[in-house]
């Protein structure tokens, strides 16, 4: 079993930055793909980006490309989501999720393990 805990959410003004972290317990991220998703009120869960833990490859949704960056910290068994140049439309609950097969699809159903989510609110 894998337990994921997100942290780092909060309130920020448009143009500002936030860093979210996703810490795993129960096992390491080795060979896993970790995805970040977000869900705004009344909307479905949207893929933000993801990282393959083994090779460090990342990919992002077009809406966040160039503004968000995902990284991994092996010592802390943590995946980080650095969010810069935040916009009001980035407001959502942000979730991290783990796919232990390492595929990291853009659909939520491809992930077996989820964190509880952390709220990000961007004021304009």
């Amino acid at each position: 079993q894998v337990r994921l805990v997100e942290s780092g959410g909060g309130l920020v003004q448009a143009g500002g930055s936030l860093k979210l972290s996703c810490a795993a317990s129960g096992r390491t991220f080795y060979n896993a793909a970790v995805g970040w998703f977000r869900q705004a009120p009344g909307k479905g869960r949207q893929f933000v980006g993801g990282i393959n833990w083994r090779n460090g490859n990342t990919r992002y949704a077009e809406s966040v490309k160039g503004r968000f960056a995902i990284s991994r910290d092996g010592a802390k068994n943590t995946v980080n989501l650095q969010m810069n140049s935040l916009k009001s439309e980035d407001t959502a609950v942000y979730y991290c999720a783990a796919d232990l097969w390492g595929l990291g699809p853009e659909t939520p159903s491809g992930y077996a393990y989820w964190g509880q989510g952390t709220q990000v609110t961007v004021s304009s």
Side-chain angles (χ1 to χ4, degrees), residues 1 20 28 32 40-41 45 51 55 71 73-75 83 88 92 104 108 112 121-122:
Q1 292 293 322
L20 307 183
T28 67
R45 201 161 289 191
I51 186 168
N55 59 29
S71 61
D73 185 332
M83 305 184 294
S88 57
T121 303
V122 184

Side-chain angles (χ1 to χ4, degrees), residues 37-53:
F37 290 79
R38 65 187 181 187
Q39 189 164 17
K43 296 188 176 181
R45 201 161 289 191
Q46 176 191 30
F47 178 77
V48 173
I51 186 168
N52 182 289
W53 184 267

